[in-house]
Amino acid sequence: MQIRDLPYVDPGLPDVRSGPRFLLWLGRRQLRGQLRSLSWGMLHFVSVMALPYGVGRAVQAVVEKSGSSLAVAGALLAVSAVCIAVGDTMLHRTAVTNWITAAARVQQLLIRKTSELGSALTRRVAAGEVVAVSTGDVEKIGWFVEAVSRFLAAALTVVLVCVGLLIYQPALGVLVAVGVPVLALGVLPLLPRATRLADVQREKAGRATELASDTVAGLRVLRGIGGEELFLKRYRHASQEVRTAAVRSARMWSAISAVQVLLPGLLLISVVWYGLGLVGDGRISVGELVTVYSAVMLLSYPLRHFEEIAMAYSFSRPSARRAARVLSLERSARQDTTPADDARELTGDLYDPATGLLAPAGTLTAVVCGDPDAAGQLAERLGGHPAEADGLPSVLLGGVALDGRPLQEARGAVLVQDKDPVLLSGTLTELLDVPASGGVAAERALAAAECGDVLDALAQASLDNDPMNAPITERGRSLSGGQRQRLALARSLVTDPEVLVLDEPTSAVDSHTEARIADGVRTLRAGRTTVLFTSSPLLLDRAERVVLVHEGEVVAVGAHRELLRTEPRYRAVVTRETDTEQRLVAAPRGPVGAQLTKAGTEDIEETA
């Protein structure tokens, strides 16, 4: 897989039973790239380790005053230099490719899981943790995947060098063959503690990232209730914990690095001391001593990859564990389709057996729910997003269970726009370039969503005065809350799904604009099923059917004005009546009613 071929057509089905199993699965999926990187790594490292032999031959040629031997040594060094350059270049290229493609695979898996779970994901995993996994954790996982091939090339090169020195000069080769394993394994006693400290650092950094993400997401609310300083103190404390953990981890890795400098130095001293004795006895030549010395000195280069792979694994293991945890989440317990469902079309009435909510096909149905959280969960259920382990029956569309149909088909039939829709960065044309039926043009959707003033503002920000080419910043931060809400509504209208579920689509706009939006949506969606979760009288008055959901079940159905007169619970939600005000409205006429009215009035005045 090359970078130019990304994204993957199918990133695969990961093994998410544990972090190490996920890393192993990822490595197997990158097998071809790993073998390429291993091959170029072998060329590079072997060429580097061939330099001592050329240098030794050159020194011996000078001692023996042999021009031909010196020329051969020079040619050997030149070939080694070329191979080192080519091998290093291609090793870096293939290693970075492995890194990027592995990270891209993990990101695609996360995006697929996010799309599958929808907004239910953040109820099961903190939003900050999802952010941490999709950013820092992905990089660390990719680092380990690409470091594996370089480590294997370095390890094979070390083995080849030891065998070669045993053959080339047995007397010194034995010393090197005994000392190199000590160099490679000498840091093993320190690795468990280093790994634990790295895990602690990663865990604290993850918590700090989650806290920062959640704080930024709720910054407006925090400022409103005066909690900004409190959360700032919490983040400062969390960041200091991260700093302390990072310092402790860095100290341990510094100790490991120091050991890997100390041990090769001791081996070099031993080789020189023992080799000088052999040269003095005439058992080896000066060139052979220089060759062995240079080989031992250069062995520190491939041996450094032993430390890197240990560090990469220590940092990537908790990252892989977090990624596996997110990827192991399932949409619901009912994902298999049945032959009966496969033959039926997703069209008709939308019905939720759990609450008794019915949205007849082709009508604009408004749903009033006193609990905003319950309304949001019901909206998700209508889109085929059941709460985890809720044990509730599936929502039916035309008598077909949404949970039992393929995710893409269910999403294509029912589109849910939640309370806080996200606008991605790009132009307005790109924002509205979504999968759609083609029945609703962008101009009609923008007009129905009352986006005229938004288009004027975007035109001023565009270089060619064309609002469709105007840039929209990430999450639409350059727009007001009402403008973002209306653009999101226009995007939903463009898709023109069989069923459109809107959760408080006009909560951030003024009443005049809200009335025009209600008329526009009703006209544009004529003949299509639309479910509107709202408590706005302007929207409710234009709905063809109003349903009141109280404590998880439908308790009243009718027209807006009728329900205002006959249903106290509906009136309390829509008009925001207090309990005292409800008693006043419901009080009977006559002396008793007058007393209740007087008492209620006194209660209101006292409350005020």
Side-chain angles (χ1 to χ4, degrees):
M1 187 70 179
Q2 298 297 319
I3 297 177
R4 63 175 175 269
D5 299 325
L6 293 174
Y8 290 96
V9 176
D10 180 14
L13 186 63
D15 186 348
V16 294
R17 288 176 291 178
S18 66
R21 287 179 182 272
F22 178 67
L23 291 175
L24 181 61
W25 174 86
L26 199 58
R28 288 201 305 267
R29 299 288 292 187
Q30 305 278 134
L31 187 58
R32 182 176 298 180
Q34 295 284 7
L35 292 177
R36 273 200 295 265
S37 184
L38 175 62
S39 301
W40 289 115
M42 287 295 298
L43 175 64
H44 173 64
F45 288 122
V46 170
S47 300
V48 169
M49 299 311 301
L51 291 176
Y53 180 70
V55 172
R57 289 202 59 170
V59 171
Q60 190 62 31
V62 172
V63 172
E64 296 176 354
K65 298 180 180 180
S66 173
S68 59
S69 297
L70 186 60
V72 171
L76 178 61
L77 291 173
V79 171
S80 298
V82 172
C83 291
I84 289 172
V86 173
D88 190 28
T89 301
M90 296 307 298
L91 172 62
H92 178 75
R93 181 186 181 91
T94 54
V96 171
T97 299
N98 288 338
W99 188 336
I100 293 176
T101 52
R105 187 186 299 275
V106 177
Q107 284 183 327
Q108 278 190 246
L109 291 171
L110 291 170
I111 291 172
R112 185 175 69 182
K113 182 59 64 174
T114 302
S115 175
E116 176 184 335
L117 295 176
S119 57
L121 175 63
T122 53
R123 292 204 307 267
R124 303 167 69 177
V125 180
E129 182 172 352
V130 178
V131 173
V133 171
S134 60
T135 54
D137 287 340
V138 165
E139 292 185 6
K140 289 177 174 59
I141 292 171
W143 174 30
F144 174 75
V145 171
E146 70 89 9
V148 168
S149 56
R150 290 188 289 110
F151 163 72
L152 291 176
L156 290 175
T157 301
V158 170
V159 173
L160 290 176
V161 169
C162 291
V163 173
L165 289 179
L166 282 172
I167 298 173
Y168 176 72
Q169 181 44 252
L172 288 175
V174 170
L175 179 60
V176 175
V178 172
V180 166
V182 176
L183 298 183
L185 304 177
V187 297
L188 283 182
L190 300 178
L191 287 180
R193 176 170 173 76
T195 301
R196 288 195 300 271
L197 291 175
D199 288 349
V200 171
Q201 178 195 353
R202 193 72 196 97
E203 181 181 355
K204 291 184 179 297
R207 284 203 296 266
T209 302
E210 293 170 19
L211 179 61
S213 176
D214 295 341
T215 302
V216 171
L219 190 58
R220 181 174 298 178
V221 176
L222 291 176
R223 286 175 175 171
I225 63 176
E228 185 177 2
E229 187 62 30
L230 174 62
F231 274 78
L232 180 60
K233 289 180 180 178
R234 288 179 58 187
Y235 180 73
R236 283 173 178 168
H237 178 70
S239 64
Q240 286 302 311
E241 288 185 342
V242 174
R243 183 191 65 81
T244 302
V247 170
R248 291 175 179 172
S249 180
R251 285 173 179 169
M252 182 53 62
W253 287 109
S254 298
I256 292 175
S257 299
V259 169
Q260 290 203 320
V261 172
L262 175 63
L263 294 181
L266 294 176
L267 181 60
L268 276 176
I269 293 173
S270 301
V271 168
V272 171
W273 177 79
Y274 184 56
L276 288 175
L278 295 177
V279 171
D281 295 339
R283 297 171 57 184
I284 64 172
S285 64
V286 174
E288 290 174 333
L289 176 60
V290 171
T291 298
V292 175
Y293 170 80
S294 302
V296 173
M297 183 176 64
L298 290 179
L299 271 177
S300 60
Y301 174 52
L303 285 174
R304 281 206 301 269
H305 291 77
F306 285 68
E307 176 190 357
E308 182 188 7
I309 194 64
M311 183 180 295
Y313 179 72
S314 298
F315 280 91
S316 66
R317 188 180 63 174
S319 297
R321 184 171 62 245
R322 288 155 63 100
R325 175 171 176 258
V326 174
L327 294 175
S328 65
L329 300 175
E330 296 294 338
R331 176 188 172 206
S332 70
R334 305 178 296 272
Q335 296 186 30
D336 297 329
T337 59
T338 62
D341 285 347
D342 288 342
R344 302 170 66 179
E345 186 179 357
L346 283 178
T347 184
D349 297 344
L350 184 67
Y351 177 64
D352 178 25
T355 60
L357 173 63
L358 173 66
T363 64
L364 173 60
T365 301
V367 180
V368 176
C369 187
D371 184 355
D373 292 334
Q377 293 175 12
L378 178 55
E380 292 171 9
R381 277 185 49 77
L382 294 180
H385 304 281
E388 60 173 317
D390 56 7
L392 299 177
S394 172
V395 171
L396 305 177
L397 179 58
V400 180
L402 283 178
D403 293 351
R405 300 307 290 265
L407 181 64
Q408 185 175 3
E409 185 178 353
R411 293 283 175 82
V414 183
L415 173 65
V416 179
Q417 177 181 303
D418 59 21
K419 293 185 182 67
D420 188 22
V422 176
L423 302 184
L424 302 179
S425 60
T427 64
L428 183 56
T429 300
E430 293 170 338
L431 176 70
L432 299 179
D433 184 16
V434 292
S437 67
V440 177
E443 293 75 12
R444 292 181 60 201
L446 290 168
E450 288 296 318
C451 295
D453 62 320
V454 185
L455 296 178
D456 293 339
L458 291 176
Q460 296 177 3
S462 175
L463 296 177
D464 55 0
N465 292 325
D466 185 355
M468 303 303 291
N469 296 327
I472 297 176
T473 57
E474 187 264 336
R475 298 185 69 91
R477 298 186 190 280
S478 58
L479 304 172
S480 68
Q483 290 174 330
R484 288 197 301 269
Q485 200 170 53
R486 282 177 282 163
L487 285 180
L489 175 60
R491 180 178 59 187
S492 298
L493 294 174
V494 165
T495 61
D496 190 33
E498 181 70 22
V499 179
L500 177 60
V501 180
L502 303 172
D503 189 3
E504 295 289 355
T506 59
S507 59
V509 301
D510 60 81
S511 58
H512 298 289
T513 305
E514 187 177 36
R516 293 194 296 270
I517 290 176
D519 293 331
V521 170
R522 179 170 179 171
T523 301
L524 187 65
R525 293 287 299 174
R528 297 291 241 175
T529 306
T530 306
V531 181
L532 189 63
F533 284 83
T534 183
S535 59
S536 168
L538 292 172
L539 296 179
L540 294 170
D541 193 39
R542 286 161 175 79
E544 301 171 66
R545 192 168 184 268
V546 179
V547 178
L548 173 63
V549 177
H550 181 68
E551 295 183 353
E553 63 180 6
V554 173
V555 295
V557 179
H560 167 60
R561 298 175 187 270
E562 175 189 353
L563 292 177
L564 276 178
R565 292 192 304 269
T566 61
E567 179 54 62
R569 290 171 295 188
Y570 178 83
R571 185 170 55 249
V573 175
V574 175
T575 64
R576 277 72 169 178
E577 286 183 351
T578 64
D579 293 339
T580 301
E581 291 170 333
Q582 291 183 48
R583 292 199 304 269
L584 287 174
V585 173
R589 300 300 179 185
V592 177
Q595 288 181 343
L596 289 175
T597 302
K598 180 179 179 181
T601 305
E602 291 175 353
D603 288 343
I604 295 174
E605 292 175 351
E606 182 179 349
T607 302

